[in-house]
Amino acid sequence: MLRFTGCSALTMALILNAAAAETARTKNAGASTAKKAVSASPPAGKPAPHYQAAHLEDVMVTARRRNERIERTPISMTTVTGTQFTERGITSIAKIQDLSPNITFGNVASNSGVANAAAVFIRGIGQTDFSFGVDPGVAMYVDGVYVGSPVGSVLNMVDIGSVSVLRGPQGTLFGRNTIGGAVSVTSLAPDSVLAARADVKYGTANRINARAFFNVPLAEHLFANFSVGSFMQDGYVHAPYQKNQREMGSQDSRVFKGAVRWNPVEKLNITLRGDWNRDRSNGAPFVTTGVNPDSTNGMISLANTLAGGSLTNCTGPNCYNSRYFSKNTNYGSDPDFSNLVGWSTSATIDYELSRYLELKSITSYRKSMGKFAQDRDGSPIGINYVYDNYQEKQFSEEVQANGRAFNNHLHYSAGVYYFDQSGYDINPTQFYIMSLLSGGSFTDRSYAAYAQTTYSVTKKFNITAGVRYTEDNKSFLPNQYYKNTIGPPIFYEPYGTRLVPYQRYHNNNARWTPMVNLSYQITPELMAYSTFSQGFKGGGFTQRLANIAPAAPSFRPESVNSFEGGLKFYGLGHRLRVSAAGFFTFYDDVQLLVADATNIGPYYTNAGKAQISGFELESQYALGDGWSVMGSVGMTDAHYTKLTSSVQGLNLDTMFVLVSKWTGNLGLSKRFDFGTYGTLTPRADATYRSRYNANLNAIMYDTLIQKKFITVNLSARWQSKSERYNFMVGLDNATNEKFMAWGSYSGSFGNFQKSFDRGRQWYIQGGVSF
């Protein structure tokens, strides 16, 4: 806390000094910077004077259901525009973690073979598993629609307008519960300008990314856009025993998106959107690096004993030993693959009932299907093989009322929300001592109502209050039974023995969650705010069972009480933007995915209580003469304060999964103007992450702790004077850091799984726009 207080004091002093200097400069100039226009470029045909100071791009956000400048929005948030992604050569939403503090956006295969599943953490709160039995800790929204499943949520970018990261509970303005925060993706809206653009990228391992976007006015009040993308790359983990010796970690994705906007009268907008995506992979990239010498009761130890050896000393042909350990080769012989298909459609109706009231309806349907498998022991010996036959569909309806009253002193937003999700995940599973059918079908229905109001007590002081009511009703029908066992005296159960009774189980929860926010505009450039908010995430079920139990294991809801204070500054002629926030969170009934020796498979439990404190500091500065710099630093100090007895191996010093205490990024770019020959912008971006616990199954092991690392991306982008043509060269992860993206360990088996980053990658890219 002393470290946080010192940083906050220093940050405030710097901002106040900058604000004072800016006020003095403004008075001397005789005009307010809030009203002064800053020229971004010189008159045509004239070179930019070396002393000319460019300005930052104004960023408008709708985080509070109305258009506001980001520096006037009293929320800790990061917004990255589609242009900023393009300038960095970024084509995957997962890279948002390199541009925003205190967020992890991973692509993990949690106890499965899925090669596209998002694991998102904000300020230490999130979830590593896609299982339908648990909700994500961080909500993802695409064009206002909540995405109910992490499967397929590592989006490829084809028509992204912006991506916003909102930290802390956001329930009083969003349709679905969001306990840790939200990632909101906004697509480009159809408009009246005929336009098109396309680009192609080629790089490491036959990487070929091709994208095209078209915007077409169909009639006076009817507009449409369409985008398509293809993303392909060879794998990087050798798999000599797989079909055709194909390498794992490949990408083969197709995306099609379209939207139509109809504006029949001035006050009515109807937008229809649809998308289809397909993702095929040779399997998630992972290797086995060794065994735990203490896992003498695991299945690998049993297999080696029956082969005439021991866990760590076995040399026969049927032994599991170091010949299957590697950092770049997977020796699994059962098929590894990940095939996903999904589509969605939505209708958004905006109607301005009066100049003081706007009504909005968002209706959506989504469906995703997949089959994925993984040979988890990474050897030709049949120790652990999992398979998922997955289908999920969701329907949601949200109705909002957004307005203002009392001569614009009061702004309000209210809404009701309905969410219906259903599907199944069937898991035929093979272990060394048994084979079984796991999984089942599920339904999840949620009803919610929320309201938030902001009252301007004075021109500078605002009070915001909100409340949400949520009712979550989950049910689970497990269809789980033993198919074959190794036999006595080791283990025996007759074929068809059920793990739990074949019946529907229910887990229903309801909760009120409030929010209060105070903000004060200290100067036209500097704002301060403080917030208290509550959030909760409903309970659920453990889906993957391998032990006989009297009923499907369930867990309770988790909840947070979050306190936050922050400062936002935007000044120096619109050249400097700084935001700082500190937070303290009480985290109760933490839902945790665990694999220990008490169960053959991973299971969910309420692990206990935790406290999370920290801060974020973000800044952008247009230095002038074409130079610009941006950076951020974040600290998340997350630790358990009380643990239940439900987990073996967890203690108060256990690190949170995938959460670094320190995150940071720094970017520097320089724009060279060559007149009729266009512009050239080289840039360098560095990202830092301190060490983290990479084990998706929570318990800490030294070998699954990823040490601190720094990655550096280098690029140079040329753009023609007309901005019609562009060309780019880049080098991602120039330092060739082979950091661990995720790891996995289960005491029932005994081997350590790891998935490493691909490492250094080069690319070239060319594009055209009309």
Side-chain angles (χ1 to χ4, degrees):
M1 292 302 294
L2 290 174
R3 185 176 298 167
F4 163 66
T5 303
C7 288
S8 299
L10 177 60
T11 300
M12 189 167 192
L14 290 172
I15 294 176
L16 288 173
N17 288 338
E22 173 66 7
T23 301
R25 187 194 65 78
T26 300
K27 289 181 178 179
N28 292 336
S32 169
T33 58
K35 297 181 180 180
K36 183 176 179 181
V38 181
S39 176
S41 57
K46 295 184 179 181
H50 73 277
Y51 57 84
Q52 182 178 358
H55 64 40
L56 295 173
E57 177 185 4
D58 287 334
V59 179
M60 303 298 293
V61 297
T62 57
R64 297 198 299 173
R65 302 305 185 198
R66 61 181 185 270
N67 282 320
E68 297 177 296
R69 287 162 45 187
I70 192 170
E71 65 275 3
R72 294 293 180 93
T73 307
I75 297 173
S76 179
M77 64 180 298
T78 301
T79 294
V80 182
T81 65
T83 300
Q84 292 171 326
F85 283 117
T86 298
E87 290 172 347
R88 291 164 175 79
I90 294 175
T91 56
S92 171
I93 192 177
K95 293 299 182 181
I96 189 68
Q97 73 171 1
D98 294 340
L99 304 175
S100 178
N102 286 343
I103 179 176
T104 299
F105 198 121
N107 184 5
V108 304
S110 180
N111 301 285
S112 74
V114 64
N116 185 323
V120 188
F121 288 77
I122 294 178
R123 291 180 173 176
I125 299 176
Q127 193 56 254
T128 62
D129 196 11
F130 68 88
S131 167
F132 55 72
V134 64
D135 294 330
V138 172
M140 179 176 290
Y141 290 86
V142 177
D143 298 318
V145 176
Y146 170 75
V147 180
S149 172
V151 173
S153 294
V154 185
L155 304 177
N156 294 303
M157 296 186 170
V158 291
D159 68 339
I160 301 299
S162 67
V163 178
S164 293
V165 177
L166 294 88
R167 305 179 187 94
Q170 305 291 327
T172 58
L173 283 174
F174 282 88
R176 190 75 162 108
N177 248 345
T178 172
I179 186 173
V183 176
S184 179
V185 180
T186 303
S187 304
L188 296 173
D191 60 32
S192 60
V193 178
L194 178 63
R197 66 171 183 263
D199 60 46
V200 177
K201 175 185 287 187
Y202 180 79
T204 299
N206 292 316
R207 180 181 185 181
I208 303 177
N209 296 351
R211 302 182 298 181
F213 172 82
F214 307 90
N215 188 90
V216 182
L218 302 176
E220 183 178 359
H221 300 288
L222 186 64
F223 321 104
N225 65 29
F226 178 76
S227 55
V228 59
S230 174
F231 304 86
M232 302 185 68
Q233 190 172 24
D234 294 342
Y236 61 98
V237 172
H238 308 309
Y241 297 153
Q242 292 291 307
K243 182 180 180 181
N244 299 326
Q245 298 185 352
R246 58 185 189 177
E247 295 185 328
M248 297 161 62
S250 63
Q251 185 181 25
D252 182 358
S253 301
R254 305 286 189 275
V255 181
F256 299 89
K257 297 181 67 175
V260 176
R261 182 169 68 90
W262 185 36
N263 178 218
V265 295
E266 181 182 356
K267 297 183 178 181
L268 176 64
N269 268 291
I270 301 173
T271 304
L272 305 178
R273 296 184 183 275
D275 68 80
W276 180 89
N277 61 83
R278 189 215 67 191
D279 192 327
R280 293 180 179 174
S281 168
N282 293 344
F286 81 98
V287 294
T288 293
T289 59
V291 297
N292 182 357
D294 295 328
S295 63
T296 54
N297 293 324
M299 295 189 199
I300 291 177
S301 179
L302 174 62
N304 281 2
T305 299
L306 296 180
S310 66
L311 174 63
T312 57
N313 184 15
C314 192
T315 59
N318 295 322
C319 291
Y320 191 95
N321 54 31
S322 59
R323 59 184 162 172
Y324 302 127
F325 306 160
S326 174
K327 288 190 175 181
N328 58 19
T329 302
N330 183 299
Y331 296 95
S333 58
D334 287 320
D336 278 73
F337 59 89
S338 179
N339 297 331
L340 301 172
V341 175
W343 61 273
S344 72
T345 181
S346 68
T348 302
I349 303 173
D350 284 282
Y351 183 65
E352 187 179 344
L353 192 63
S354 72
R355 58 182 297 189
Y356 301 107
L357 177 61
E358 177 186 325
L359 301 178
K360 175 182 282 190
S361 168
I362 305 174
T363 308
S364 173
Y365 181 85
R366 301 179 64 90
K367 186 173 184 178
S368 58
M369 297 159 286
K371 293 183 179 181
F372 33 93
Q374 187 178 73
D375 189 339
R376 292 179 57 79
D377 55 80
S379 77
I381 303 172
I383 305 292
N384 184 3
Y385 183 69
V386 296
Y387 179 95
D388 288 77
N389 184 4
Y390 177 90
Q391 178 176 295
E392 178 263 348
K393 57 184 179 181
Q394 68 171 70
F395 170 81
S396 64
E397 172 62 39
E398 183 173 2
V399 179
Q400 303 171 4
N402 306 297
R404 49 199 171 96
F406 303 123
N407 198 25
N408 289 336
H409 284 280
L410 180 72
H411 288 81
Y412 62 87
S413 180
V416 293
Y417 181 72
Y418 173 72
F419 177 77
D420 188 322
Q421 183 183 33
S422 62
Y424 57 80
D425 190 5
I426 307 301
N427 309 133
T429 303
Q430 297 177 12
F431 299 147
Y432 185 74
I433 63 172
M434 71 178 78
S435 65
L436 57 88
L437 182 69
S438 186
S441 61
F442 71 99
T443 61
D444 181 3
R445 291 188 177 90
S446 180
Y447 310 85
Y450 58 85
Q452 180 172 305
T453 62
T454 299
Y455 184 72
S456 300
V457 180
T458 68
K459 290 184 178 180
K460 295 184 176 181
F461 179 50
N462 296 306
I463 300 177
T464 301
V467 66
R468 174 190 182 88
Y469 175 76
T470 304
E471 182 178 319
D472 287 339
N473 301 318
K474 291 187 176 71
S475 69
F476 176 34
L477 179 63
N479 186 16
Q480 311 200 3
Y481 55 87
Y482 292 115
K483 300 172 69 176
N484 186 40
T485 58
I486 195 171
I490 299 174
F491 181 75
Y492 173 74
E493 288 290 347
Y495 177 92
T497 300
R498 290 200 171 272
L499 280 71
V500 295
Y502 182 67
Q503 65 184 58
R504 189 166 291 276
Y505 299 87
H506 300 274
N507 195 326
N508 302 333
N509 308 276
R511 191 75 59 91
W512 290 90
T513 49
M515 184 277 289
V516 178
N517 172 278
L518 306 177
S519 65
Y520 188 76
Q521 197 69 39
I522 301 171
T523 72
E525 297 83 22
L526 178 65
M527 180 188 70
Y529 70 91
S530 62
T531 304
F532 165 74
S533 58
Q534 286 186 344
F536 101 105
K537 186 174 71 168
F541 301 93
T542 294
Q543 167 193 325
R544 306 178 187 95
L545 303 180
N547 298 67
I548 293 177
S554 64
F555 51 90
R556 301 184 306 277
E558 63 179 15
S559 62
V560 299
N561 289 297
S562 177
F563 300 85
E564 178 183 320
L567 297 168
K568 291 194 173 187
F569 174 81
Y570 187 39
L572 298 186
H574 289 194
R575 293 189 296 119
L576 176 65
R577 180 182 286 122
V578 181
S579 64
F583 60 91
F584 196 92
T585 302
F586 294 94
Y587 192 7
D588 294 334
D589 289 317
V590 178
Q591 296 173 2
L592 200 63
L593 179 67
V594 177
D596 61 19
T598 64
N599 286 268
I600 295 177
Y603 65 95
Y604 281 96
T605 185
N606 295 101
K609 297 184 178 183
Q611 291 181 3
I612 308 174
S613 60
F615 69 88
E616 296 101 16
L617 176 63
E618 299 179 86
S619 181
Q620 296 173 285
Y621 192 14
L623 300 171
D625 197 24
W627 287 95
S628 64
V629 61
M630 66 169 291
S632 71
V633 61
M635 191 270 278
T636 300
D637 184 9
H639 59 276
Y640 295 103
T641 58
K642 183 179 179 180
L643 294 173
T644 66
S645 59
S646 60
V647 182
Q648 293 184 0
L650 205 66
N651 58 62
L652 296 181
D653 295 324
T654 298
M655 299 170 64
F656 278 35
V657 179
L658 299 183
V659 176
S660 294
K661 183 173 183 178
W662 292 97
T663 59
N665 65 79
L666 180 65
L668 180 67
S669 66
K670 163 67 174 174
R671 177 185 170 102
F672 295 93
D673 193 338
F674 299 116
T676 58
Y677 296 102
T679 61
L680 179 67
T681 307
R683 66 177 303 115
D685 295 280
T687 301
Y688 170 79
R689 298 187 75 87
S690 65
R691 68 191 192 114
Y692 54 84
N693 177 12
N695 184 12
L696 301 178
N697 295 326
I699 301 173
M700 282 176 55
Y701 296 91
D702 288 343
T703 188
L704 295 181
I705 299 297
Q706 171 59 49
K707 297 179 180 180
K708 62 183 180 181
F709 63 91
I710 297 176
T711 58
V712 177
N713 298 335
L714 305 173
S715 65
R717 188 171 189 263
W718 172 84
Q719 193 171 34
S720 66
K721 181 180 180 181
S722 65
E723 299 185 354
R724 173 167 292 186
Y725 304 103
N726 64 80
F727 182 79
M728 188 173 187
V729 296
L731 190 64
D732 290 341
N733 194 355
T735 51
N736 200 30
E737 291 286 344
K738 299 292 183 70
F739 58 89
M740 191 177 3
W742 57 268
S744 182
Y745 177 79
S746 172
S748 299
F749 302 97
N751 62 314
F752 292 107
Q753 290 180 289
K754 298 181 183 180
S755 179
F756 296 99
D757 184 76
R758 185 186 288 266
R760 184 187 297 118
Q761 298 187 69
W762 63 268
Y763 64 86
I764 58 175
Q765 178 176 302
V768 60
S769 60
F770 300 93

